Amino acid sequence: MRSLLLMLLGACEHGQTPIETALISPLRVPCQGFAPTMCLEMTPDQQPTERVFFGIEGFTHRMGIEAEIELRREQLEPIPDGPSENLIMLELIVENP
C-alpha cells in the first residue's frame, strides 16, 4: 500500500495525474463551446458526469456502444477557447452494446 501511495505522489509531482477508470456514454450529447457540437459524456469513478468537448486521445467513439476505459489527464497551458487538459486513453477495458 505504501509503495502505491509513493508511486501516485511521484506521478503527481512530475505533472502527471493518477490513472482513472471512466464510462463513456453510448450516445453523444449536445454541448456548447465556441460553436455548438456533440460531446462525449464521460463518468469517471465516483465523480460527476463530464462533457468532453475535445475528445480523448487514442479513443474512437462508436455510436451506441458504451465503453469503459482507463485514462490519464495531462494538464495543459490554458489558451483562449482551448482545452485545459488532455485526456489520454491508456486501455480499453470493455465495450457494451
Side-chain angles (χ1 to χ4, degrees), residues 20-85:
E20 302 176 40
T21 301
L23 285 177
I24 309 298
S25 173
L27 302 174
R28 290 182 179 262
V29 294
C31 63
Q32 179 72 38
F34 51 85
T37 190
M38 300 297 283
C39 290
L40 295 176
E41 210 167 42
M42 176 178 84
T43 307
D45 281 337
Q46 310 298 317
Q47 299 293 321
T49 299
E50 303 174 24
R51 292 195 173 169
V52 180
F53 189 84
F54 291 98
I56 301 168
E57 185 178 314
F59 176 74
T60 301
H61 182 259
R62 297 188 320 159
M63 189 65 76
I65 305 293
E66 179 183 71
E68 182 176 1
I69 66 170
E70 194 171 80
L71 65 99
R72 181 174 50 83
R73 297 172 189 261
E74 180 181 86
Q75 300 303 311
L76 301 173
E77 291 294 323
I79 58 171
D81 293 327
S84 60
E85 64 184 5

